[in-house]
Amino acid sequence: MSDEYMTFEQAAEFLNTSSSTLYRWLREEKVPAHKLGRQWRFLREELERWRAGERDDSPDLVLAQLEQLLTTRIQERKEKGMETIQMTETEALGARILWDAFDSGASVVHVQPFKDHHQLSYRTDAGLEHLIELPADAFEALDRQWSTSSQPTRTSQARRMYIERERGAEKEGEEDARDALQIRYQKLETLAGDRLTLQLLRTDPSYISLSRVAHGDDREHLHTWLTAGHGLILISGKSGSGKTTTAYACLNELASRGDLVIFTIEESAGTLLPGVNQVEIDLDDAAAYRSTFSAIFNSDLDVLFIASTFAQPHQSLLWSTAVNAAESGHLVLVQIEAESAHDAIARFGEGTDRSFEDVLIGSCWQELVPEASGQGRYARYDMVDGALAPGK
Protein backbone atom coordinates (compact mmCIF):
# COMPACT_ATOMS: atom_id res chain seq x y z
CA MET A 1 0.00 0.00 0.00
CA SER A 2 1.30 3.46 -0.88
CA ASP A 3 0.08 4.89 2.42
CA GLU A 4 1.72 2.18 4.52
CA TYR A 5 3.65 3.31 7.57
CA MET A 6 7.01 1.73 8.36
CA THR A 7 8.86 1.29 11.62
CA PHE A 8 12.37 2.69 12.05
CA GLU A 9 13.92 -0.68 11.26
CA GLN A 10 11.76 -1.17 8.17
CA ALA A 11 12.63 2.32 6.90
CA ALA A 12 16.37 1.69 7.35
CA GLU A 13 16.05 -1.53 5.40
CA PHE A 14 13.92 0.14 2.71
CA LEU A 15 16.51 2.91 2.28
CA ASN A 16 19.36 0.39 2.46
CA THR A 17 21.16 2.38 5.15
CA SER A 18 22.39 1.84 8.70
CA SER A 19 20.47 2.82 11.84
CA SER A 20 23.11 5.41 12.75
CA THR A 21 22.84 7.06 9.33
CA LEU A 22 19.05 7.16 9.52
CA TYR A 23 19.26 8.71 12.99
CA ARG A 24 21.61 11.34 11.62
CA TRP A 25 19.21 12.10 8.76
CA LEU A 26 16.42 12.48 11.32
CA ARG A 27 18.46 14.90 13.43
CA GLU A 28 19.29 16.93 10.34
CA GLU A 29 15.64 16.72 9.19
CA LYS A 30 16.73 15.38 5.84
CA VAL A 31 14.31 12.47 5.65
CA PRO A 32 10.49 12.70 5.90
CA ALA A 33 9.29 11.10 9.15
CA HIS A 34 6.57 11.34 11.77
CA LYS A 35 6.78 10.97 15.57
CA LEU A 36 4.06 8.76 17.04
CA GLY A 37 4.51 9.01 20.79
CA ARG A 38 8.20 8.22 21.21
CA GLN A 39 8.47 6.12 18.07
CA TRP A 40 9.39 7.23 14.56
CA ARG A 41 7.14 6.18 11.69
CA PHE A 42 7.79 6.59 7.97
CA LEU A 43 5.25 6.82 5.17
CA ARG A 44 6.30 4.54 2.30
CA GLU A 45 5.04 6.96 -0.36
CA GLU A 46 7.13 9.80 1.10
CA LEU A 47 10.25 7.63 1.29
CA GLU A 48 9.78 6.51 -2.30
CA ARG A 49 9.68 10.10 -3.53
CA TRP A 50 12.51 11.14 -1.24
CA ARG A 51 14.69 8.27 -2.43
CA ALA A 52 13.95 9.22 -6.02
CA GLY A 53 14.98 12.80 -5.32
CA GLU A 54 11.42 14.10 -5.56
CA ARG A 55 9.38 16.12 -3.11
CA ASP A 56 5.71 16.81 -3.73
CA ASP A 57 4.56 19.54 -1.37
CA SER A 58 1.14 20.06 -2.90
CA PRO A 59 -1.31 21.02 -0.11
CA ASP A 60 -3.80 18.32 -1.03
CA LEU A 61 -1.16 15.60 -0.75
CA VAL A 62 0.25 16.94 2.53
CA LEU A 63 -3.19 17.27 4.11
CA ALA A 64 -4.05 13.75 2.94
CA GLN A 65 -0.83 12.51 4.54
CA LEU A 66 -1.80 14.33 7.72
CA GLU A 67 -5.20 12.63 7.74
CA GLN A 68 -3.51 9.25 7.31
CA LEU A 69 -1.12 10.10 10.14
CA LEU A 70 -4.01 10.94 12.47
CA THR A 71 -5.77 7.69 11.54
CA THR A 72 -2.61 5.72 12.30
CA ARG A 73 -2.19 7.45 15.67
CA ILE A 74 -5.78 6.65 16.64
CA GLN A 75 -5.26 3.00 15.71
CA GLU A 76 -2.05 2.76 17.72
CA ARG A 77 -3.75 4.20 20.80
CA LYS A 78 -6.58 1.69 20.42
CA GLU A 79 -4.10 -1.18 20.19
CA LYS A 80 -2.54 0.03 23.45
CA GLY A 81 -5.95 0.02 25.13
CA MET A 82 -6.03 3.81 25.43
CA GLU A 83 -9.36 5.63 25.33
CA THR A 84 -9.76 7.36 21.99
CA ILE A 85 -12.53 8.33 19.61
CA GLN A 86 -12.55 7.62 15.89
CA MET A 87 -13.32 10.83 14.05
CA THR A 88 -16.03 10.77 11.42
CA GLU A 89 -15.15 11.42 7.81
CA THR A 90 -17.05 14.70 7.93
CA GLU A 91 -15.03 15.99 10.89
CA ALA A 92 -12.94 18.97 9.83
CA LEU A 93 -9.22 18.22 9.73
CA GLY A 94 -8.51 21.13 12.07
CA ALA A 95 -10.81 19.63 14.71
CA ARG A 96 -9.29 16.18 14.21
CA ILE A 97 -5.85 17.61 14.94
CA LEU A 98 -7.09 19.19 18.17
CA TRP A 99 -8.78 15.98 19.34
CA ASP A 100 -5.68 13.95 18.45
CA ALA A 101 -3.60 16.36 20.51
CA PHE A 102 -6.06 16.03 23.40
CA ASP A 103 -6.03 12.22 23.24
CA SER A 104 -2.22 12.30 23.12
CA GLY A 105 -2.08 14.22 26.40
CA ALA A 106 -0.95 17.44 24.75
CA SER A 107 -1.68 20.83 26.26
CA VAL A 108 -0.66 22.98 23.28
CA VAL A 109 -0.56 22.67 19.49
CA HIS A 110 2.28 24.66 17.91
CA VAL A 111 2.54 25.61 14.24
CA GLN A 112 6.06 27.03 13.90
CA PRO A 113 7.16 28.92 10.75
CA PHE A 114 10.41 28.16 8.97
CA LYS A 115 11.86 29.49 5.74
CA ASP A 116 9.84 27.31 3.36
CA HIS A 117 7.33 25.47 5.56
CA HIS A 118 5.54 25.29 8.93
CA GLN A 119 6.14 22.58 11.53
CA LEU A 120 3.07 21.14 13.29
CA SER A 121 3.94 19.96 16.81
CA TYR A 122 2.29 19.01 20.11
CA ARG A 123 3.46 20.00 23.59
CA THR A 124 3.25 16.98 25.89
CA ASP A 125 4.85 16.10 29.23
CA ALA A 126 7.71 14.57 27.24
CA GLY A 127 8.36 17.81 25.35
CA LEU A 128 7.62 18.89 21.79
CA GLU A 129 6.38 16.09 19.53
CA HIS A 130 6.83 16.98 15.84
CA LEU A 131 4.16 15.61 13.52
CA ILE A 132 4.52 16.92 9.99
CA GLU A 133 5.82 19.77 7.82
CA LEU A 134 3.19 21.95 6.16
CA PRO A 135 3.82 23.89 2.94
CA ALA A 136 2.36 27.39 2.76
CA ASP A 137 -0.94 26.43 1.11
CA ALA A 138 -1.58 23.57 3.56
CA PHE A 139 -0.83 25.86 6.52
CA GLU A 140 -3.23 28.50 5.20
CA ALA A 141 -5.96 25.89 4.68
CA LEU A 142 -5.71 24.74 8.31
CA ASP A 143 -5.47 28.28 9.63
CA ARG A 144 -8.67 29.21 7.79
CA GLN A 145 -10.48 26.34 9.52
CA TRP A 146 -9.31 27.42 12.95
CA SER A 147 -9.76 31.16 12.51
CA THR A 148 -13.23 30.98 10.95
CA SER A 149 -14.53 28.61 13.65
CA SER A 150 -13.27 30.81 16.52
CA GLN A 151 -14.43 34.00 18.17
CA PRO A 152 -12.26 37.05 18.94
CA THR A 153 -11.21 37.82 22.52
CA ARG A 154 -10.16 41.10 24.08
CA THR A 155 -6.71 40.93 22.44
CA SER A 156 -6.14 41.39 18.73
CA GLN A 157 -4.00 38.26 18.32
CA ALA A 158 -6.09 35.81 20.37
CA ARG A 159 -9.32 34.02 19.51
CA ARG A 160 -11.31 31.32 21.27
CA MET A 161 -13.15 28.28 19.96
CA TYR A 162 -15.14 25.39 21.39
CA ILE A 163 -15.43 21.87 20.01
CA GLU A 164 -17.43 18.86 21.21
CA ARG A 165 -17.66 15.19 20.33
CA GLU A 166 -19.81 12.25 21.30
CA ARG A 167 -17.97 9.86 23.60
CA GLY A 168 -20.69 7.22 23.94
CA ALA A 169 -21.88 5.54 27.13
CA GLU A 170 -19.11 4.26 29.37
CA LYS A 171 -21.24 1.44 30.70
CA GLU A 172 -24.54 -0.14 29.84
CA GLY A 173 -27.41 1.99 31.07
CA GLU A 174 -25.40 5.22 31.21
CA GLU A 175 -26.34 8.17 29.08
CA ASP A 176 -24.10 9.13 26.19
CA ALA A 177 -21.31 11.41 27.34
CA ARG A 178 -19.64 14.26 25.51
CA ASP A 179 -16.09 15.56 25.49
CA ALA A 180 -15.69 19.31 25.21
CA LEU A 181 -12.64 21.47 24.62
CA GLN A 182 -12.05 25.17 24.76
CA ILE A 183 -9.11 26.28 22.61
CA ARG A 184 -7.25 29.55 22.92
CA TYR A 185 -6.00 30.38 19.41
CA GLN A 186 -3.20 32.92 19.07
CA LYS A 187 -1.61 34.13 15.85
CA LEU A 188 1.59 36.16 15.87
CA GLU A 189 3.57 37.58 13.00
CA THR A 190 7.27 36.67 13.19
CA LEU A 191 10.17 37.34 10.82
CA ALA A 192 9.78 33.80 9.46
CA GLY A 193 6.02 34.11 9.00
CA ASP A 194 2.77 33.70 10.91
CA ARG A 195 2.98 31.48 13.99
CA LEU A 196 0.02 29.71 15.62
CA THR A 197 -0.32 28.61 19.24
CA LEU A 198 -3.47 26.68 20.16
CA GLN A 199 -3.78 26.02 23.88
CA LEU A 200 -6.18 23.23 24.86
CA LEU A 201 -8.32 24.05 27.88
CA ARG A 202 -10.29 21.15 29.28
CA THR A 203 -13.91 21.87 30.08
CA ASP A 204 -14.28 18.79 32.30
CA PRO A 205 -13.11 19.98 35.74
CA SER A 206 -13.29 16.51 37.33
CA TYR A 207 -9.50 16.33 37.30
CA ILE A 208 -9.38 19.59 39.30
CA SER A 209 -10.98 18.62 42.57
CA LEU A 210 -10.02 18.98 46.22
CA SER A 211 -9.72 15.20 46.48
CA ARG A 212 -6.98 15.25 43.83
CA VAL A 213 -5.31 18.54 44.68
CA ALA A 214 -5.07 18.18 48.47
CA HIS A 215 -4.98 15.16 50.76
CA GLY A 216 -5.95 14.25 54.32
CA ASP A 217 -5.99 17.10 56.81
CA ASP A 218 -5.10 19.66 54.13
CA ARG A 219 -8.20 18.79 52.11
CA GLU A 220 -10.42 18.92 55.19
CA HIS A 221 -8.91 22.26 56.19
CA LEU A 222 -9.72 23.81 52.80
CA HIS A 223 -13.16 22.23 52.76
CA THR A 224 -13.91 23.74 56.19
CA TRP A 225 -12.88 27.20 55.03
CA LEU A 226 -15.22 26.92 52.05
CA THR A 227 -18.19 26.37 54.39
CA ALA A 228 -17.81 29.89 55.76
CA GLY A 229 -20.68 32.12 54.73
CA HIS A 230 -18.44 35.07 53.93
CA GLY A 231 -14.92 36.30 54.38
CA LEU A 232 -11.51 36.33 52.72
CA ILE A 233 -9.29 33.36 51.78
CA LEU A 234 -5.74 33.97 50.58
CA ILE A 235 -4.29 31.32 48.25
CA SER A 236 -0.57 31.84 47.82
CA GLY A 237 2.70 30.30 46.77
CA LYS A 238 5.67 30.95 44.54
CA SER A 239 5.32 31.10 40.77
CA GLY A 240 4.54 27.63 39.39
CA SER A 241 3.54 26.19 42.77
CA GLY A 242 0.06 25.16 41.62
CA LYS A 243 -1.89 27.82 43.51
CA THR A 244 -4.17 28.44 40.53
CA THR A 245 -5.04 24.72 40.49
CA THR A 246 -5.89 24.89 44.19
CA ALA A 247 -8.04 27.98 43.62
CA TYR A 248 -9.87 26.25 40.76
CA ALA A 249 -10.38 23.14 42.91
CA CYS A 250 -12.00 25.31 45.57
CA LEU A 251 -14.22 27.01 42.99
CA ASN A 252 -15.14 23.62 41.54
CA GLU A 253 -16.11 22.43 45.02
CA LEU A 254 -18.29 25.49 45.56
CA ALA A 255 -19.86 25.24 42.10
CA SER A 256 -20.83 21.60 42.75
CA ARG A 257 -23.28 22.82 45.40
CA GLY A 258 -25.42 24.35 42.67
CA ASP A 259 -26.81 27.14 44.87
CA LEU A 260 -24.10 29.80 44.52
CA VAL A 261 -23.44 32.57 42.02
CA ILE A 262 -19.69 32.49 41.44
CA PHE A 263 -17.55 34.96 39.49
CA THR A 264 -13.84 35.18 38.72
CA ILE A 265 -11.73 38.11 37.54
CA GLU A 266 -8.66 36.78 35.72
CA GLU A 267 -6.01 37.88 33.28
CA SER A 268 -6.28 34.56 31.43
CA ALA A 269 -8.39 31.59 32.51
CA GLY A 270 -6.53 28.29 32.41
CA THR A 271 -9.58 26.03 32.61
CA LEU A 272 -13.25 26.51 31.85
CA LEU A 273 -15.21 25.77 35.03
CA PRO A 274 -18.89 24.86 34.56
CA GLY A 275 -21.13 26.80 36.91
CA VAL A 276 -18.54 29.57 37.30
CA ASN A 277 -18.76 32.95 35.54
CA GLN A 278 -15.17 33.52 34.46
CA VAL A 279 -14.32 37.04 33.29
CA GLU A 280 -11.02 37.83 31.57
CA ILE A 281 -9.73 41.40 31.66
CA ASP A 282 -6.44 43.26 31.53
CA LEU A 283 -5.57 43.51 35.22
CA ASP A 284 -3.11 46.31 34.39
CA ASP A 285 -6.05 48.47 33.29
CA ALA A 286 -7.44 50.08 36.46
CA ALA A 287 -10.47 51.57 34.72
CA ALA A 288 -11.40 48.21 33.17
CA TYR A 289 -11.04 46.51 36.55
CA ARG A 290 -13.24 49.07 38.35
CA SER A 291 -15.92 48.74 35.69
CA THR A 292 -15.80 44.93 35.75
CA PHE A 293 -15.82 44.71 39.53
CA SER A 294 -18.80 47.08 39.73
CA ALA A 295 -20.75 45.05 37.18
CA ILE A 296 -19.99 41.78 38.99
CA PHE A 297 -20.80 43.27 42.38
CA ASN A 298 -24.23 44.25 41.03
CA SER A 299 -24.87 40.71 39.71
CA ASP A 300 -26.06 39.22 42.99
CA LEU A 301 -22.87 37.21 43.47
CA ASP A 302 -22.04 34.89 46.37
CA VAL A 303 -18.40 34.04 45.63
CA LEU A 304 -15.63 36.02 43.94
CA PHE A 305 -12.14 34.87 42.92
CA ILE A 306 -9.51 37.49 42.03
CA ALA A 307 -6.34 36.20 40.37
CA SER A 308 -3.52 38.68 40.97
CA THR A 309 0.26 38.60 41.29
CA PHE A 310 2.86 40.73 43.01
CA ALA A 311 3.60 42.47 39.70
CA GLN A 312 0.19 44.12 39.21
CA PRO A 313 0.63 47.92 39.25
CA HIS A 314 -2.89 48.32 40.61
CA GLN A 315 -2.59 45.63 43.26
CA SER A 316 -3.87 47.86 46.07
CA LEU A 317 -7.05 48.48 44.05
CA LEU A 318 -7.62 44.74 43.54
CA TRP A 319 -7.07 43.87 47.17
CA SER A 320 -9.08 46.78 48.57
CA THR A 321 -12.10 45.76 46.50
CA ALA A 322 -11.60 42.17 47.71
CA VAL A 323 -11.87 43.39 51.30
CA ASN A 324 -14.95 45.42 50.39
CA ALA A 325 -16.63 42.33 48.95
CA ALA A 326 -15.72 40.21 51.98
CA GLU A 327 -17.09 42.85 54.35
CA SER A 328 -20.30 42.94 52.30
CA GLY A 329 -21.08 39.31 53.05
CA HIS A 330 -19.39 37.57 50.12
CA LEU A 331 -16.88 34.74 50.07
CA VAL A 332 -13.74 36.06 48.37
CA LEU A 333 -10.67 34.09 47.25
CA VAL A 334 -7.54 36.02 46.28
CA GLN A 335 -4.49 34.48 44.64
CA ILE A 336 -1.14 36.11 45.44
CA GLU A 337 2.61 35.41 45.35
CA ALA A 338 4.20 34.82 48.77
CA GLU A 339 6.89 32.89 50.63
CA SER A 340 4.63 31.45 53.36
CA ALA A 341 1.08 31.67 54.70
CA HIS A 342 2.11 34.37 57.19
CA ASP A 343 4.02 36.21 54.45
CA ALA A 344 0.86 36.22 52.34
CA ILE A 345 -1.03 37.93 55.17
CA ALA A 346 1.76 40.47 55.60
CA ARG A 347 1.98 41.24 51.87
CA PHE A 348 -1.78 41.58 51.59
CA GLY A 349 -1.75 44.02 54.50
CA GLU A 350 1.02 46.07 52.90
CA GLY A 351 -0.84 46.10 49.58
CA THR A 352 -4.11 47.52 50.87
CA ASP A 353 -4.98 50.44 53.08
CA ARG A 354 -7.94 48.55 54.53
CA SER A 355 -8.00 46.55 57.74
CA PHE A 356 -8.92 42.98 56.82
CA GLU A 357 -8.03 40.81 59.83
CA ASP A 358 -11.67 40.68 61.00
CA VAL A 359 -12.82 39.16 57.68
CA LEU A 360 -9.91 36.77 57.14
CA ILE A 361 -10.98 33.11 57.00
CA GLY A 362 -7.49 31.80 56.40
CA SER A 363 -4.25 32.00 54.47
CA CYS A 364 -3.07 29.02 52.44
CA TRP A 365 0.47 28.69 51.04
CA GLN A 366 1.74 25.79 48.98
CA GLU A 367 4.72 24.35 47.17
CA LEU A 368 5.15 21.34 44.88
CA VAL A 369 7.47 18.60 46.17
CA PRO A 370 8.48 15.26 44.57
CA GLU A 371 6.51 12.13 45.37
CA ALA A 372 8.40 9.51 47.41
CA SER A 373 8.21 7.19 44.40
CA GLY A 374 9.97 9.77 42.27
CA GLN A 375 6.97 9.84 39.92
CA GLY A 376 5.33 13.25 39.81
CA ARG A 377 4.87 15.90 42.48
CA TYR A 378 2.26 16.77 45.09
CA ALA A 379 1.24 19.97 46.86
CA ARG A 380 2.49 20.56 50.40
CA TYR A 381 0.47 23.17 52.27
CA ASP A 382 0.99 25.66 55.07
CA MET A 383 -2.30 27.00 56.47
CA VAL A 384 -3.07 29.74 58.97
CA ASP A 385 -6.60 30.25 60.32
CA GLY A 386 -8.06 33.71 60.45
CA ALA A 387 -10.70 35.28 62.68
CA LEU A 388 -13.57 33.94 60.53
CA ALA A 389 -12.30 30.36 60.23
CA PRO A 390 -15.19 28.02 61.07
CA GLY A 391 -14.77 26.48 64.52
CA LYS A 392 -12.68 29.31 65.96
Side-chain angles (χ1 to χ4, degrees), residues 49-65:
R49 291 197 310 275
W50 184 81
R51 186 173 60 177
E54 302 172 358
R55 183 173 178 177
D56 187 347
D57 280 344
S58 68
D60 290 342
L61 177 60
V62 172
L63 294 178
Q65 292 169 357

Side-chain angles (χ1 to χ4, degrees), residues 23 64 119 164 207 244 260 262 272 305 311 316 319 324 329 331 379:
Y23 273 124
Q119 177 71 55
E164 291 186 336
Y207 71 104
T244 301
L260 297 172
I262 305 172
L272 186 65
F305 168 59
S316 61
W319 293 354
N324 285 341
L331 180 61

Side-chain angles (χ1 to χ4, degrees), residues 33 92 118 171 175 208 246 294 324 339 372 377 385:
H118 281 75
K171 298 177 182 179
E175 295 183 0
I208 300 181
T246 295
S294 178
N324 285 341
E339 299 293 328
R377 297 183 296 174
D385 286 330

Side-chain angles (χ1 to χ4, degrees), residues 192-241:
D194 290 334
R195 187 191 197 288
L196 304 183
T197 303
L198 296 101
Q199 184 177 3
L200 310 183
L201 307 178
R202 299 180 60 162
T203 59
D204 174 12
S206 60
Y207 71 104
I208 300 181
S209 62
L210 283 182
S211 60
R212 291 190 178 186
V213 171
H215 305 285
D217 293 341
D218 291 333
R219 181 178 63 246
E220 292 304 316
H221 211 144
L222 287 170
H223 179 77
T224 300
W225 284 355
L226 296 178
T227 63
H230 72 283
L232 177 68
I233 298 176
L234 304 181
I235 299 178
S236 66
K238 297 180 180 179
S239 179
S241 63

Side-chain angles (χ1 to χ4, degrees), residues 21-86:
T21 298
L22 184 53
Y23 273 124
R24 177 169 57 80
W25 287 345
L26 286 170
R27 288 196 303 270
E28 296 173 355
E29 299 185 354
K30 289 184 175 181
V31 62
H34 309 279
K35 199 73 174 292
L36 300 182
R38 297 185 178 181
Q39 304 296 320
W40 285 105
R41 292 292 184 269
F42 303 81
L43 189 62
R44 178 182 291 275
E45 184 179 352
E46 290 180 332
L47 291 184
E48 288 174 346
R49 291 197 310 275
W50 184 81
R51 186 173 60 177
E54 302 172 358
R55 183 173 178 177
D56 187 347
D57 280 344
S58 68
D60 290 342
L61 177 60
V62 172
L63 294 178
Q65 292 169 357
L66 180 54
E67 287 201 48
Q68 176 61 35
L69 175 61
L70 297 178
T71 300
T72 302
R73 291 170 63 87
I74 290 172
Q75 186 59 39
E76 290 201 353
R77 285 196 295 270
K78 284 185 175 180
E79 292 173 355
K80 294 178 181 178
M82 300 170 64
E83 182 178 350
T84 189
I85 303 298
Q86 178 70 51

Side-chain angles (χ1 to χ4, degrees), residues 329-384:
H330 304 92
L331 180 61
V332 183
L333 289 71
V334 177
Q335 173 190 315
I336 67 175
E337 303 267 348
E339 299 293 328
S340 69
H342 285 289
D343 182 51
I345 296 173
R347 292 192 183 192
F348 191 87
E350 293 170 357
T352 179
D353 56 3
R354 300 288 307 278
S355 173
F356 67 95
E357 289 79 3
D358 290 344
V359 295
L360 180 65
I361 297 171
S363 174
C364 167
W365 179 89
Q366 70 183 82
E367 63 179 343
L368 295 178
V369 297
E371 294 278 4
S373 63
Q375 301 293 323
R377 297 183 296 174
Y378 71 97
R380 181 166 62 193
Y381 292 90
D382 171 28
M383 300 187 188
V384 175

